[in-house]
Amino acid sequence: MLDYRMETFLALCEEMSFTKAAQKLNITQPAVSQHIRHLETCYGIKLFKFQGKRLELTPQGQQLRQYGLSSKADWDHIGQKLQEDPSREHFAFGATLTIGEFVMPDILNKLIQRDENTTFTMLVDNTETLLHKLQEGDIHFAFIEGHLDKTAYHSILFSRARFIPICGSRHPYANRKVDLEDIFSQRLIVRETGSGTRDVLEHALWEHNHSIDHFSHRIEIGSLNVIKALVADSLGITFIYKNAVEKELAQGILKTIDIIGFDVVREFNFVSLKNSQFTSEHTKFLDFCINCS
């Protein structure tokens, strides 16, 4: 069980307000201050500082937060394991949409056939949500597409994937060479803010001194299958990992757009909390996934 003063510290890290942290924990604001002072006295460091009226973590506070999140998640995991059948192994993990829907099914198929005593829970959601679930201890690790702060997490490369622009087979840009500036006249169909796919696109455009706002018309949809269906009907274009459209490309339903100078390859990463005592146990699952892919 995590020390109650560490619980207060983590709540304050999340809320960045003594008042809101007190409300969240259902304690008084002076109690929050007392708990933080106890930790600062115990470790001989300052955990927070004010930048104007804004509360910020010190570098030492950032470090303690990482240890605290890992400890909290480990204690939650221990509690779960004590309730489980010791003869069975259970993983609770997350995967972003492309990985969860188009990479993991074959791997999980092999896992189920290999070991009937291993059970798992897979949450498929966007990057932002999965990282939050990881910090809260709701999942033990995640497979993430797109960018993340690698200094804040334990991360290992899982695989690399090509990120491509696509359109319908009847679209005038199908299998054509076009300049990057030409595509902004098209309707862009894109994932929501917080998704790895959206993040990769925004970074790729930024590297070419452009923005997603340069498109004349933009539609945001949370489902890859809906996006692919609309693009197949030539109602817009999208950018997507090749893993997610290999079947449609082979069938000729979707076509690539050859944008001059646009060549994007990004990482799929295995991500867990730093300093977790379960890291070696979880990376065994990663090793199995790499061998299957």
Side-chain angles (χ1 to χ4, degrees), residues 3-12 17-36:
D3 183 90
Y4 65 92
R5 287 159 296 206
M6 185 61 72
E7 293 274 12
T8 300
F9 170 70
L10 292 177
L12 185 55
S17 162
F18 283 86
T19 301
K20 291 181 179 179
Q23 292 171 347
K24 180 177 182 178
L25 297 169
N26 198 26
I27 60 177
T28 65
Q29 187 171 329
V32 173
S33 299
Q34 184 181 19
H35 294 173
I36 299 303

Side-chain angles (χ1 to χ4, degrees), residues 11-272:
L12 185 55
C13 288
E14 184 174 351
E15 300 295 338
M16 281 300 170
S17 162
F18 283 86
T19 301
K20 291 181 179 179
Q23 292 171 347
K24 180 177 182 178
L25 297 169
N26 198 26
I27 60 177
T28 65
Q29 187 171 329
V32 173
S33 299
Q34 184 181 19
H35 294 173
I36 299 303
R37 282 198 301 271
H38 172 85
L39 292 174
E40 290 180 332
T41 301
C42 178
Y43 295 117
I45 57 174
K46 288 291 291 183
L47 297 173
F48 294 92
K49 64 181 179 180
F50 278 97
Q51 189 71 30
K53 293 183 178 181
R54 188 177 62 189
L55 188 65
E56 293 183 350
L57 279 165
T58 64
Q60 293 87 352
Q62 290 278 9
Q63 189 174 11
L64 183 62
R65 177 177 177 269
Q66 289 182 358
Y67 282 117
L69 288 172
S70 296
S71 296
K72 181 178 183 298
D74 281 352
W75 277 113
D76 290 344
H77 194 179
I78 289 169
Q80 294 164 8
K81 290 179 80 69
L82 290 174
Q83 300 298 319
E84 295 170 358
D85 183 346
S87 67
R88 291 181 176 271
E89 192 170 21
H90 180 77
F91 294 105
F93 69 97
T96 47
L97 200 55
T98 300
I99 300 173
E101 293 194 357
F102 301 100
V103 178
M104 295 308 297
D106 286 344
I107 293 173
L108 297 180
N109 182 304
K110 293 173 183 175
L111 175 64
I112 292 169
Q113 293 186 50
R114 185 198 70 166
D115 188 356
E116 61 181 17
N117 287 323
T118 297
T119 61
F120 56 84
T121 302
M122 181 176 74
L123 171 66
V124 179
D125 216 316
N126 64 41
T127 300
E128 186 177 296
T129 299
L130 293 180
L131 292 178
H132 179 73
K133 294 286 187 183
L134 184 62
Q135 292 176 358
E136 290 296 305
D138 296 328
I139 55 176
H140 306 145
F141 52 87
F143 292 90
I144 300 288
E145 61 190 82
H147 298 84
L148 74 150
D149 181 4
K150 291 185 178 181
T151 64
Y153 300 93
H154 174 73
S155 68
I156 302 174
L157 177 66
F158 170 44
S159 65
R160 291 184 174 87
R162 189 164 296 280
F163 191 70
I164 61 173
I166 61 167
C167 62
S169 59
R170 299 187 304 276
H171 193 281
Y173 285 175
N175 292 329
R176 270 188 53 198
K177 279 186 179 292
V178 298
D179 291 321
L180 183 59
E181 288 73 16
D182 294 334
I183 67 169
F184 296 114
S185 62
Q186 301 299 307
R187 178 186 292 110
L188 175 68
I189 306 176
V190 67
R191 289 283 310 284
E192 76 284 358
T193 300
S195 71
T197 304
R198 170 74 168 261
D199 183 57
V200 169
L201 174 58
E202 290 180 339
H203 275 79
L205 292 174
W206 178 82
E207 289 171 356
H208 289 82
N209 299 313
H210 286 289
S211 161
I212 200 169
D213 295 326
H214 291 175
F215 284 89
S216 59
H217 191 183
R218 185 172 76 236
I219 296 174
E220 296 183 6
I221 297 176
S223 166
L224 285 179
N225 286 327
V226 173
I227 291 175
K228 290 194 292 183
L230 294 176
V231 172
D233 288 335
S234 295
L235 296 174
I237 68 170
T238 195
F239 292 75
I240 197 168
Y241 284 106
K242 191 175 181 181
N243 310 61
V245 289
E246 287 181 338
K247 178 181 176 182
E248 291 83 358
L249 290 173
Q251 293 173 341
I253 298 171
L254 295 172
K255 298 289 186 178
T256 58
I257 304 171
D258 188 358
I259 299 177
I260 298 171
F262 188 90
D263 184 20
V264 179
V265 176
R266 290 293 184 264
E267 296 179 349
F268 290 169
N269 284 295
F270 168 89
V271 180
S272 61

